[in-house]
Amino acid sequence: MAKEAKARIKINKLLEDSGWRLLDSSDGKANVLFENNVKITKEGIDVLGENFEKTSNGFIDFLLLDDRGFPLVVLEAKSDDKNPLVGKEQARKYAKTVNCRFIILSNGDLHYFWDVENGNPTIVTVLPTPESFKQYKKFTPNKQRLINEACDNDYIALTQDPNYAVNPEYVNMETREDYFDRTGVRIMRDYQKRALHSIQSAVKDGSMRFLFEMATGTGKTLTSAAVIKLFLRSGNARRVLFLVDRLELEDQAQKDMISYLAKDYKSVIYKENKDDWRKAEIVITTVQSLLFNNKYKKFFSPTDFDLVISDEAHRSIGGNARAVFEYFVGYKLGLTATPKDYLKKANDGEQREYERRLMLDTYRTFGCESDEPTFRYSLIDGVRDGFLINPIVVDARTDVTTQLLSDEGYSVTDTNDEGEEAEDIFRGRDFEKKFFSDSTNRVFCETFMGNALRDPITGEIGKTIVFAVSQNHAAKLTQILNEIAHRMFPSRYNSDFAVQVTSQIQDSKSMTIDFRNNKLNGYSRFNEMYRTSRTRVCVTVGMMTTGYDCSDVLNLCLMRPIFSPTDFVQIKGRGTRKFNFSKCIVGDKEMKVHYATNEKEHFKLFDFFANCEYFEEKFNYDEVLKLPKPSESISSLIELPQPTLYGYEHTGGDGISLITETKVGAEGMRIDRMFFKKFEENIKNDKFIKEAVEAENWQEVESYVRKEKFDKPDDYINLDKIKRSLSIDRRISVREVLEYIFDMIPKIKMKNELLEDEFEQFIDDNKSRFEENVDIAAMRYYFKAYICDSKVRDVIDNKQYGELNVLSSFTMADFKAVTNGWKQWIPDYIKNYVPLNRFM
């Protein structure tokens, strides 16, 4: 009771902070709460009936009333050592009795908000205010309308132009492309329509959180706009919050939303509409903007948005950003271009371990506990279907970088303060941090300028993004590139061939937009009828990596080493979009027709630090993951650069020691390949397997899969590889894999999920044996420890209980907490009914 009282005190304070006023009922067993500015007398309570807080199912912990004194919210309180969800069904009964639509489940620290007419309990970080409930009560979503909404390829087009299908320009195949270019009308691709349908299926299954894993260039924003229309049009959302993680992406998202949805729905950027954002159905902002001074708590209620969409989802749930994301109730959609598949395992202390944990957390946060997204469309899918392109990798290493990248590193002998000779070793990650070489930077730039893809219409250097180590490094490279451009193209540029685009540069955000819109520093001087950016190269560090859409980029230059798979995928994605260069021709129809076939068929990825080789050959995707303890901070997972007290400047020359060009085929890079997806398609296309599964001939089909599908030369796939690919933490069976592939089960359960299932079955099988005051939590811990830990089993089976004093996983105190009669019954039950090999 002491723990429950402590939780109630916390909840009282939280409710008061949220604008509710506490009034104790006469018997002291329940609490009735009212809005601060509403006067309700004792006589007013009696209108509802004597002791209305007492129901036929027991006492309501807290009953929150509306401004007329009628029940509005049932708040079920639990002690702080219990998960609030244990009171879910109890609260449901109470709510039904007093005709309440809303429930709050809380233990004082963790809170769930539940609209029983719309989905599942959702975590909230603060308790909703009375005012927010007034607004939310008027909202009556109809899930079935969303599920039944017809969503075809023209779902967005019908908003942009309801009569597009009869427009002569559209009807005429010869002018259809011109119609699309002129109007901006967009017909969704089949995979985008499938993504929309996946949302409908997930909602039908009771989901409120979704994750789209879509490669860069596959139209995540267009697909998001369709999802927004689906929720708004079906009445399942009143207002949508669209979160981006960079300032420059706010304008890009707003421009897209206006293009796609403006005729039906209003969208605003929050910082430009702080006073009237409620007039819009779509609010666009950065996570950082809402975090500043806790703005999201001061100016927003948890019920203000019924759908929250997070672009680059893994960024929105990291660190403090999670507080913003979890603050709002309702549906949540995460978007990511970063597949988790290449982050299989990692070692302690390395950047990719942090990324692995963050990506896994992303999948679970968005309701994908099986680590499979709601919808997936990979780079390989896009290349196969003709929507995306792969790079030509230019591996260009200098004499200096070759040494920096070698196992031995770049050795420098110098005299220390004591007059003794000392050797310093520098490696790739030291470049432009501890190791400096002007000659190497110049070789980078000369090599790029001599081998870059050219614009197919003017012949000038194709639009390029260069990725530097730091802002100082970016400044050096920009200067060198402009010097070379002045020499190669006299009088064509005035030190505006290349520009530095980093956070230190004023108006850098506008520069990224102008570069995308082909007017950075004006238009090219090579052809007046061709509108392409006069500036050809943007040198950045990190501003143009995530979500930046500039389809006509022809060259990407990695003038820095990369150790993060996420960064590598994002940077590479800047070049994968297709583009027709004739779109930039103005005022000359003949010229436009002449160059109509000038499609972007590939792009060059200049790699001066063997990054591609690292992720293709050296990066270990299967290392054993050793998770840090939950108490470890995020910062402890990242290998942060140590402050440098000294540096070495290479004053000698440098030259290219290796330069090769390799065109990446349709199979993509190793980092792009989806291991399990390929196997899944193979299984689904096998007629024998499909028919055997439908007939549930399990013994026959399992034998066939082991004989015909496993350990073949193509990929040597087996259960162990499938287990690693899906990140399952226990032994799996062929049958489970087949049931998952053919949608007979929603996911392959993790070890703890199976343990919970077995324990629930144990409880159900032994109801008659239970007595009062039995400690269920202690029994659960004992049950799981006996199954999972062979040392615990040996101690219990041999009755050598003293050895529990030296075990850390299950101690003597844990054993004593179990009621005597159950100490032997639990092991006996497990031996008879639980197959232990499933948990190995």
Side-chain angles (χ1 to χ4, degrees), residues 342 355 391 393 556 558 560 562-574 605 607 610-613 615-616 621 669 671-672:
Y342 60 78
E355 294 183 45
V393 175
L556 299 174
L558 304 180
R560 73 179 194 209
I562 300 174
F563 302 99
S564 159
T566 301
D567 287 348
F568 183 71
V569 168
Q570 291 285 0
I571 288 173
K572 185 161 64 72
R574 298 316 103 206
L605 180 62
D607 184 8
N611 295 295
C612 295
E613 179 183 286
F615 289 110
E616 192 73 13
Y621 296 84
M669 292 183 171
I671 200 168
D672 302 317

PDB file of all heavy atoms in Angstrom, residues 342 355 391 393 556 558 560 562-574 605 607 610-613 615-616 621 669 671-672:
ATOM      1  N   TYR A 342      22.330  -3.813 -42.826  1.00  0.00           N
ATOM      2  CA  TYR A 342      23.783  -3.851 -42.855  1.00  0.00           C
ATOM      3  C   TYR A 342      24.370  -3.645 -41.468  1.00  0.00           C
ATOM      4  O   TYR A 342      25.558  -3.813 -41.258  1.00  0.00           O
ATOM      5  CB  TYR A 342      24.338  -2.787 -43.804  1.00  0.00           C
ATOM      6  CG  TYR A 342      23.957  -1.387 -43.450  1.00  0.00           C
ATOM      7  CD1 TYR A 342      24.595  -0.705 -42.430  1.00  0.00           C
ATOM      8  CD2 TYR A 342      22.944  -0.741 -44.135  1.00  0.00           C
ATOM      9  CE1 TYR A 342      24.245   0.566 -42.092  1.00  0.00           C
ATOM     10  CE2 TYR A 342      22.587   0.547 -43.810  1.00  0.00           C
ATOM     11  CZ  TYR A 342      23.241   1.197 -42.798  1.00  0.00           C
ATOM     12  OH  TYR A 342      22.869   2.473 -42.471  1.00  0.00           O
ATOM     13  N   GLU A 355      24.823   3.082 -33.849  1.00  0.00           N
ATOM     14  CA  GLU A 355      23.849   3.126 -34.944  1.00  0.00           C
ATOM     15  C   GLU A 355      22.958   1.898 -34.927  1.00  0.00           C
ATOM     16  O   GLU A 355      21.748   1.986 -35.166  1.00  0.00           O
ATOM     17  CB  GLU A 355      24.570   3.234 -36.290  1.00  0.00           C
ATOM     18  CG  GLU A 355      25.318   4.542 -36.467  1.00  0.00           C
ATOM     19  CD  GLU A 355      25.952   4.627 -37.838  1.00  0.00           C
ATOM     20  OE1 GLU A 355      25.272   4.294 -38.825  1.00  0.00           O
ATOM     21  OE2 GLU A 355      27.116   5.014 -37.923  1.00  0.00           O
ATOM     22  N   PRO A 391      26.115   3.985 -58.815  1.00  0.00           N
ATOM     23  CA  PRO A 391      27.256   4.823 -59.204  1.00  0.00           C
ATOM     24  C   PRO A 391      28.325   4.089 -60.004  1.00  0.00           C
ATOM     25  O   PRO A 391      28.368   2.857 -60.039  1.00  0.00           O
ATOM     26  CB  PRO A 391      27.817   5.250 -57.843  1.00  0.00           C
ATOM     27  CG  PRO A 391      27.533   4.081 -56.947  1.00  0.00           C
ATOM     28  CD  PRO A 391      26.201   3.539 -57.416  1.00  0.00           C
ATOM     29  N   VAL A 393      32.051   3.865 -59.347  1.00  0.00           N
ATOM     30  CA  VAL A 393      32.965   4.172 -58.242  1.00  0.00           C
ATOM     31  C   VAL A 393      34.350   4.460 -58.795  1.00  0.00           C
ATOM     32  O   VAL A 393      34.930   3.632 -59.516  1.00  0.00           O
ATOM     33  CB  VAL A 393      33.033   3.006 -57.238  1.00  0.00           C
ATOM     34  CG1 VAL A 393      34.083   3.289 -56.169  1.00  0.00           C
ATOM     35  CG2 VAL A 393      31.658   2.788 -56.593  1.00  0.00           C
ATOM     36  N   LEU A 556      29.830  12.881 -56.852  1.00  0.00           N
ATOM     37  CA  LEU A 556      29.977  12.978 -55.403  1.00  0.00           C
ATOM     38  C   LEU A 556      31.432  12.681 -55.077  1.00  0.00           C
ATOM     39  O   LEU A 556      32.000  11.723 -55.619  1.00  0.00           O
ATOM     40  CB  LEU A 556      29.071  11.979 -54.684  1.00  0.00           C
ATOM     41  CG  LEU A 556      27.567  12.121 -54.894  1.00  0.00           C
ATOM     42  CD1 LEU A 556      26.831  10.959 -54.236  1.00  0.00           C
ATOM     43  CD2 LEU A 556      27.056  13.434 -54.329  1.00  0.00           C
ATOM     44  N   LEU A 558      34.137  11.913 -52.041  1.00  0.00           N
ATOM     45  CA  LEU A 558      34.429  11.599 -50.643  1.00  0.00           C
ATOM     46  C   LEU A 558      35.889  11.945 -50.380  1.00  0.00           C
ATOM     47  O   LEU A 558      36.778  11.110 -50.516  1.00  0.00           O
ATOM     48  CB  LEU A 558      34.159  10.120 -50.361  1.00  0.00           C
ATOM     49  CG  LEU A 558      32.748   9.620 -50.698  1.00  0.00           C
ATOM     50  CD1 LEU A 558      32.620   8.139 -50.359  1.00  0.00           C
ATOM     51  CD2 LEU A 558      31.700  10.432 -49.968  1.00  0.00           C
ATOM     52  N   ARG A 560      37.138  12.501 -47.609  1.00  0.00           N
ATOM     53  CA  ARG A 560      37.289  12.215 -46.186  1.00  0.00           C
ATOM     54  C   ARG A 560      37.009  10.732 -45.967  1.00  0.00           C
ATOM     55  O   ARG A 560      36.254  10.116 -46.745  1.00  0.00           O
ATOM     56  CB  ARG A 560      36.321  13.052 -45.362  1.00  0.00           C
ATOM     57  CG  ARG A 560      34.880  12.592 -45.458  1.00  0.00           C
ATOM     58  CD  ARG A 560      33.968  13.445 -44.591  1.00  0.00           C
ATOM     59  NE  ARG A 560      32.669  12.845 -44.395  1.00  0.00           N
ATOM     60  CZ  ARG A 560      31.558  13.540 -44.198  1.00  0.00           C
ATOM     61  NH1 ARG A 560      31.611  14.854 -44.194  1.00  0.00           N
ATOM     62  NH2 ARG A 560      30.405  12.931 -44.008  1.00  0.00           N
ATOM     63  N   ILE A 562      35.127   7.632 -44.122  1.00  0.00           N
ATOM     64  CA  ILE A 562      33.813   7.451 -43.500  1.00  0.00           C
ATOM     65  C   ILE A 562      33.812   6.105 -42.782  1.00  0.00           C
ATOM     66  O   ILE A 562      34.185   5.088 -43.367  1.00  0.00           O
ATOM     67  CB  ILE A 562      32.683   7.492 -44.549  1.00  0.00           C
ATOM     68  CG1 ILE A 562      32.684   8.842 -45.262  1.00  0.00           C
ATOM     69  CG2 ILE A 562      31.323   7.238 -43.903  1.00  0.00           C
ATOM     70  CD1 ILE A 562      31.699   8.923 -46.402  1.00  0.00           C
ATOM     71  N   PHE A 563      33.365   6.109 -41.545  1.00  0.00           N
ATOM     72  CA  PHE A 563      33.323   4.875 -40.764  1.00  0.00           C
ATOM     73  C   PHE A 563      31.897   4.507 -40.364  1.00  0.00           C
ATOM     74  O   PHE A 563      31.666   3.453 -39.798  1.00  0.00           O
ATOM     75  CB  PHE A 563      34.198   5.014 -39.518  1.00  0.00           C
ATOM     76  CG  PHE A 563      35.634   5.341 -39.838  1.00  0.00           C
ATOM     77  CD1 PHE A 563      36.097   6.645 -39.767  1.00  0.00           C
ATOM     78  CD2 PHE A 563      36.510   4.352 -40.259  1.00  0.00           C
ATOM     79  CE1 PHE A 563      37.405   6.958 -40.089  1.00  0.00           C
ATOM     80  CE2 PHE A 563      37.817   4.653 -40.574  1.00  0.00           C
ATOM     81  CZ  PHE A 563      38.274   5.952 -40.497  1.00  0.00           C
ATOM     82  N   SER A 564      30.963   5.390 -40.662  1.00  0.00           N
ATOM     83  CA  SER A 564      29.566   5.151 -40.321  1.00  0.00           C
ATOM     84  C   SER A 564      28.807   4.641 -41.541  1.00  0.00           C
ATOM     85  O   SER A 564      28.718   5.331 -42.553  1.00  0.00           O
ATOM     86  CB  SER A 564      28.913   6.451 -39.833  1.00  0.00           C
ATOM     87  OG  SER A 564      27.513   6.374 -39.949  1.00  0.00           O
ATOM     88  N   PRO A 565      28.225   3.436 -41.470  1.00  0.00           N
ATOM     89  CA  PRO A 565      27.426   2.940 -42.583  1.00  0.00           C
ATOM     90  C   PRO A 565      26.244   3.846 -42.906  1.00  0.00           C
ATOM     91  O   PRO A 565      25.890   4.020 -44.068  1.00  0.00           O
ATOM     92  CB  PRO A 565      26.944   1.569 -42.094  1.00  0.00           C
ATOM     93  CG  PRO A 565      27.890   1.175 -41.021  1.00  0.00           C
ATOM     94  CD  PRO A 565      28.325   2.451 -40.376  1.00  0.00           C
ATOM     95  N   THR A 566      25.634   4.430 -41.886  1.00  0.00           N
ATOM     96  CA  THR A 566      24.511   5.337 -42.113  1.00  0.00           C
ATOM     97  C   THR A 566      24.941   6.527 -42.951  1.00  0.00           C
ATOM     98  O   THR A 566      24.276   6.899 -43.926  1.00  0.00           O
ATOM     99  CB  THR A 566      23.934   5.822 -40.770  1.00  0.00           C
ATOM    100  OG1 THR A 566      23.498   4.699 -40.021  1.00  0.00           O
ATOM    101  CG2 THR A 566      22.766   6.771 -40.994  1.00  0.00           C
ATOM    102  N   ASP A 567      26.066   7.147 -42.585  1.00  0.00           N
ATOM    103  CA  ASP A 567      26.573   8.287 -43.362  1.00  0.00           C
ATOM    104  C   ASP A 567      26.868   7.884 -44.793  1.00  0.00           C
ATOM    105  O   ASP A 567      26.576   8.625 -45.740  1.00  0.00           O
ATOM    106  CB  ASP A 567      27.836   8.855 -42.712  1.00  0.00           C
ATOM    107  CG  ASP A 567      27.535   9.616 -41.427  1.00  0.00           C
ATOM    108  OD1 ASP A 567      26.349   9.884 -41.169  1.00  0.00           O
ATOM    109  OD2 ASP A 567      28.485   9.930 -40.692  1.00  0.00           O
ATOM    110  N   PHE A 568      27.470   6.706 -44.966  1.00  0.00           N
ATOM    111  CA  PHE A 568      27.839   6.254 -46.304  1.00  0.00           C
ATOM    112  C   PHE A 568      26.599   6.074 -47.177  1.00  0.00           C
ATOM    113  O   PHE A 568      26.551   6.516 -48.335  1.00  0.00           O
ATOM    114  CB  PHE A 568      28.626   4.952 -46.208  1.00  0.00           C
ATOM    115  CG  PHE A 568      29.127   4.443 -47.537  1.00  0.00           C
ATOM    116  CD1 PHE A 568      30.153   5.096 -48.200  1.00  0.00           C
ATOM    117  CD2 PHE A 568      28.571   3.321 -48.132  1.00  0.00           C
ATOM    118  CE1 PHE A 568      30.618   4.638 -49.426  1.00  0.00           C
ATOM    119  CE2 PHE A 568      29.023   2.856 -49.346  1.00  0.00           C
ATOM    120  CZ  PHE A 568      30.049   3.516 -50.000  1.00  0.00           C
ATOM    121  N   VAL A 569      25.564   5.433 -46.631  1.00  0.00           N
ATOM    122  CA  VAL A 569      24.324   5.219 -47.383  1.00  0.00           C
ATOM    123  C   VAL A 569      23.672   6.551 -47.735  1.00  0.00           C
ATOM    124  O   VAL A 569      23.206   6.759 -48.857  1.00  0.00           O
ATOM    125  CB  VAL A 569      23.353   4.334 -46.572  1.00  0.00           C
ATOM    126  CG1 VAL A 569      21.967   4.334 -47.194  1.00  0.00           C
ATOM    127  CG2 VAL A 569      23.880   2.904 -46.499  1.00  0.00           C
ATOM    128  N   GLN A 570      23.636   7.470 -46.778  1.00  0.00           N
ATOM    129  CA  GLN A 570      22.998   8.763 -47.014  1.00  0.00           C
ATOM    130  C   GLN A 570      23.739   9.559 -48.083  1.00  0.00           C
ATOM    131  O   GLN A 570      23.124  10.138 -48.986  1.00  0.00           O
ATOM    132  CB  GLN A 570      22.945   9.563 -45.707  1.00  0.00           C
ATOM    133  CG  GLN A 570      21.997   8.995 -44.667  1.00  0.00           C
ATOM    134  CD  GLN A 570      20.545   9.258 -45.010  1.00  0.00           C
ATOM    135  OE1 GLN A 570      20.232   9.864 -46.029  1.00  0.00           O
ATOM    136  NE2 GLN A 570      19.643   8.794 -44.171  1.00  0.00           N
ATOM    137  N   ILE A 571      25.063   9.612 -47.982  1.00  0.00           N
ATOM    138  CA  ILE A 571      25.855  10.375 -48.954  1.00  0.00           C
ATOM    139  C   ILE A 571      25.698   9.781 -50.345  1.00  0.00           C
ATOM    140  O   ILE A 571      25.484  10.500 -51.329  1.00  0.00           O
ATOM    141  CB  ILE A 571      27.336  10.411 -48.520  1.00  0.00           C
ATOM    142  CG1 ILE A 571      27.495  11.329 -47.298  1.00  0.00           C
ATOM    143  CG2 ILE A 571      28.229  10.880 -49.660  1.00  0.00           C
ATOM    144  CD1 ILE A 571      28.880  11.305 -46.678  1.00  0.00           C
ATOM    145  N   LYS A 572      25.802   8.473 -50.446  1.00  0.00           N
ATOM    146  CA  LYS A 572      25.653   7.823 -51.749  1.00  0.00           C
ATOM    147  C   LYS A 572      24.282   8.105 -52.357  1.00  0.00           C
ATOM    148  O   LYS A 572      24.131   8.246 -53.578  1.00  0.00           O
ATOM    149  CB  LYS A 572      25.882   6.319 -51.599  1.00  0.00           C
ATOM    150  CG  LYS A 572      25.877   5.529 -52.907  1.00  0.00           C
ATOM    151  CD  LYS A 572      26.562   4.188 -52.725  1.00  0.00           C
ATOM    152  CE  LYS A 572      25.828   3.307 -51.748  1.00  0.00           C
ATOM    153  NZ  LYS A 572      24.551   2.769 -52.290  1.00  0.00           N
ATOM    154  N   GLY A 573      23.274   8.214 -51.488  1.00  0.00           N
ATOM    155  CA  GLY A 573      21.915   8.454 -51.952  1.00  0.00           C
ATOM    156  C   GLY A 573      21.707   9.797 -52.606  1.00  0.00           C
ATOM    157  O   GLY A 573      20.715  10.006 -53.322  1.00  0.00           O
ATOM    158  N   ARG A 574      22.645  10.743 -52.413  1.00  0.00           N
ATOM    159  CA  ARG A 574      22.489  12.052 -53.063  1.00  0.00           C
ATOM    160  C   ARG A 574      22.599  11.954 -54.580  1.00  0.00           C
ATOM    161  O   ARG A 574      22.184  12.871 -55.286  1.00  0.00           O
ATOM    162  CB  ARG A 574      23.551  13.044 -52.566  1.00  0.00           C
ATOM    163  CG  ARG A 574      23.536  13.399 -51.100  1.00  0.00           C
ATOM    164  CD  ARG A 574      22.171  13.672 -50.546  1.00  0.00           C
ATOM    165  NE  ARG A 574      21.681  12.535 -49.777  1.00  0.00           N
ATOM    166  CZ  ARG A 574      20.413  12.255 -49.594  1.00  0.00           C
ATOM    167  NH1 ARG A 574      19.480  12.982 -50.161  1.00  0.00           N
ATOM    168  NH2 ARG A 574      20.043  11.217 -48.862  1.00  0.00           N
ATOM    169  N   LEU A 605      31.110   8.373 -58.150  1.00  0.00           N
ATOM    170  CA  LEU A 605      31.395   8.479 -56.726  1.00  0.00           C
ATOM    171  C   LEU A 605      32.911   8.423 -56.560  1.00  0.00           C
ATOM    172  O   LEU A 605      33.520   7.354 -56.633  1.00  0.00           O
ATOM    173  CB  LEU A 605      30.729   7.332 -55.966  1.00  0.00           C
ATOM    174  CG  LEU A 605      30.922   7.288 -54.449  1.00  0.00           C
ATOM    175  CD1 LEU A 605      30.332   8.520 -53.783  1.00  0.00           C
ATOM    176  CD2 LEU A 605      30.308   6.030 -53.865  1.00  0.00           C
ATOM    177  N   ASP A 607      36.155   8.303 -54.626  1.00  0.00           N
ATOM    178  CA  ASP A 607      36.459   7.778 -53.297  1.00  0.00           C
ATOM    179  C   ASP A 607      37.962   7.827 -53.079  1.00  0.00           C
ATOM    180  O   ASP A 607      38.712   7.006 -53.618  1.00  0.00           O
ATOM    181  CB  ASP A 607      35.937   6.345 -53.196  1.00  0.00           C
ATOM    182  CG  ASP A 607      36.126   5.738 -51.817  1.00  0.00           C
ATOM    183  OD1 ASP A 607      36.530   6.475 -50.898  1.00  0.00           O
ATOM    184  OD2 ASP A 607      35.859   4.533 -51.660  1.00  0.00           O
ATOM    185  N   ALA A 610      39.186   4.907 -49.906  1.00  0.00           N
ATOM    186  CA  ALA A 610      38.811   3.485 -49.961  1.00  0.00           C
ATOM    187  C   ALA A 610      37.578   3.181 -49.116  1.00  0.00           C
ATOM    188  O   ALA A 610      37.459   2.098 -48.552  1.00  0.00           O
ATOM    189  CB  ALA A 610      39.995   2.604 -49.537  1.00  0.00           C
ATOM    190  N   ASN A 611      36.659   4.139 -49.038  1.00  0.00           N
ATOM    191  CA  ASN A 611      35.441   3.913 -48.253  1.00  0.00           C
ATOM    192  C   ASN A 611      34.602   2.782 -48.828  1.00  0.00           C
ATOM    193  O   ASN A 611      34.048   1.957 -48.082  1.00  0.00           O
ATOM    194  CB  ASN A 611      34.600   5.202 -48.202  1.00  0.00           C
ATOM    195  CG  ASN A 611      35.293   6.324 -47.451  1.00  0.00           C
ATOM    196  OD1 ASN A 611      35.527   6.234 -46.261  1.00  0.00           O
ATOM    197  ND2 ASN A 611      35.626   7.386 -48.167  1.00  0.00           N
ATOM    198  N   CYS A 612      34.487   2.743 -50.152  1.00  0.00           N
ATOM    199  CA  CYS A 612      33.687   1.687 -50.783  1.00  0.00           C
ATOM    200  C   CYS A 612      34.278   0.311 -50.502  1.00  0.00           C
ATOM    201  O   CYS A 612      33.553  -0.648 -50.223  1.00  0.00           O
ATOM    202  CB  CYS A 612      33.585   1.939 -52.290  1.00  0.00           C
ATOM    203  SG  CYS A 612      32.685   3.446 -52.716  1.00  0.00           S
ATOM    204  N   GLU A 613      35.599   0.217 -50.590  1.00  0.00           N
ATOM    205  CA  GLU A 613      36.262  -1.057 -50.306  1.00  0.00           C
ATOM    206  C   GLU A 613      36.029  -1.463 -48.853  1.00  0.00           C
ATOM    207  O   GLU A 613      35.802  -2.635 -48.548  1.00  0.00           O
ATOM    208  CB  GLU A 613      37.758  -0.928 -50.577  1.00  0.00           C
ATOM    209  CG  GLU A 613      38.539  -2.199 -50.278  1.00  0.00           C
ATOM    210  CD  GLU A 613      40.030  -2.021 -50.497  1.00  0.00           C
ATOM    211  OE1 GLU A 613      40.435  -1.974 -51.678  1.00  0.00           O
ATOM    212  OE2 GLU A 613      40.772  -1.910 -49.497  1.00  0.00           O
ATOM    213  N   PHE A 615      33.445  -0.779 -46.865  1.00  0.00           N
ATOM    214  CA  PHE A 615      32.094  -1.292 -46.619  1.00  0.00           C
ATOM    215  C   PHE A 615      31.767  -2.515 -47.473  1.00  0.00           C
ATOM    216  O   PHE A 615      30.856  -3.265 -47.160  1.00  0.00           O
ATOM    217  CB  PHE A 615      31.064  -0.187 -46.857  1.00  0.00           C
ATOM    218  CG  PHE A 615      31.092   0.874 -45.800  1.00  0.00           C
ATOM    219  CD1 PHE A 615      31.557   2.148 -46.080  1.00  0.00           C
ATOM    220  CD2 PHE A 615      30.686   0.596 -44.504  1.00  0.00           C
ATOM    221  CE1 PHE A 615      31.605   3.121 -45.099  1.00  0.00           C
ATOM    222  CE2 PHE A 615      30.732   1.556 -43.510  1.00  0.00           C
ATOM    223  CZ  PHE A 615      31.187   2.824 -43.811  1.00  0.00           C
ATOM    224  N   GLU A 616      32.526  -2.715 -48.542  1.00  0.00           N
ATOM    225  CA  GLU A 616      32.284  -3.878 -49.394  1.00  0.00           C
ATOM    226  C   GLU A 616      33.039  -5.105 -48.905  1.00  0.00           C
ATOM    227  O   GLU A 616      32.547  -6.227 -48.979  1.00  0.00           O
ATOM    228  CB  GLU A 616      32.710  -3.563 -50.838  1.00  0.00           C
ATOM    229  CG  GLU A 616      32.238  -4.572 -51.864  1.00  0.00           C
ATOM    230  CD  GLU A 616      30.754  -4.492 -52.147  1.00  0.00           C
ATOM    231  OE1 GLU A 616      30.113  -3.505 -51.751  1.00  0.00           O
ATOM    232  OE2 GLU A 616      30.228  -5.435 -52.755  1.00  0.00           O
ATOM    233  N   TYR A 621      30.037  -7.285 -40.979  1.00  0.00           N
ATOM    234  CA  TYR A 621      28.604  -7.169 -40.733  1.00  0.00           C
ATOM    235  C   TYR A 621      28.097  -8.223 -39.749  1.00  0.00           C
ATOM    236  O   TYR A 621      26.937  -8.201 -39.372  1.00  0.00           O
ATOM    237  CB  TYR A 621      27.829  -7.312 -42.051  1.00  0.00           C
ATOM    238  CG  TYR A 621      28.113  -6.204 -43.035  1.00  0.00           C
ATOM    239  CD1 TYR A 621      29.218  -6.257 -43.877  1.00  0.00           C
ATOM    240  CD2 TYR A 621      27.284  -5.101 -43.107  1.00  0.00           C
ATOM    241  CE1 TYR A 621      29.486  -5.241 -44.775  1.00  0.00           C
ATOM    242  CE2 TYR A 621      27.535  -4.078 -44.000  1.00  0.00           C
ATOM    243  CZ  TYR A 621      28.640  -4.156 -44.835  1.00  0.00           C
ATOM    244  OH  TYR A 621      28.892  -3.135 -45.719  1.00  0.00           O
ATOM    245  N   MET A 669      25.724  -2.511 -54.232  1.00  0.00           N
ATOM    246  CA  MET A 669      26.837  -2.739 -53.324  1.00  0.00           C
ATOM    247  C   MET A 669      26.393  -3.690 -52.217  1.00  0.00           C
ATOM    248  O   MET A 669      25.208  -3.852 -51.954  1.00  0.00           O
ATOM    249  CB  MET A 669      27.307  -1.419 -52.706  1.00  0.00           C
ATOM    250  CG  MET A 669      27.959  -0.471 -53.677  1.00  0.00           C
ATOM    251  SD  MET A 669      28.549   1.014 -52.819  1.00  0.00           S
ATOM    252  CE  MET A 669      29.481   1.791 -54.145  1.00  0.00           C
ATOM    253  N   ILE A 671      26.469  -3.217 -49.165  1.00  0.00           N
ATOM    254  CA  ILE A 671      25.736  -2.497 -48.127  1.00  0.00           C
ATOM    255  C   ILE A 671      24.270  -2.306 -48.494  1.00  0.00           C
ATOM    256  O   ILE A 671      23.425  -2.041 -47.653  1.00  0.00           O
ATOM    257  CB  ILE A 671      26.418  -1.133 -47.872  1.00  0.00           C
ATOM    258  CG1 ILE A 671      26.013  -0.588 -46.513  1.00  0.00           C
ATOM    259  CG2 ILE A 671      26.096  -0.134 -48.972  1.00  0.00           C
ATOM    260  CD1 ILE A 671      26.840   0.586 -46.058  1.00  0.00           C
ATOM    261  N   ASP A 672      23.947  -2.427 -49.800  1.00  0.00           N
ATOM    262  CA  ASP A 672      22.572  -2.229 -50.256  1.00  0.00           C
ATOM    263  C   ASP A 672      21.755  -3.517 -50.285  1.00  0.00           C
ATOM    264  O   ASP A 672      20.541  -3.474 -50.418  1.00  0.00           O
ATOM    265  CB  ASP A 672      22.564  -1.649 -51.682  1.00  0.00           C
ATOM    266  CG  ASP A 672      23.313  -0.329 -51.768  1.00  0.00           C
ATOM    267  OD1 ASP A 672      23.123   0.493 -50.858  1.00  0.00           O
ATOM    268  OD2 ASP A 672      24.079  -0.137 -52.720  1.00  0.00           O
TER     269      ASP A 672
END
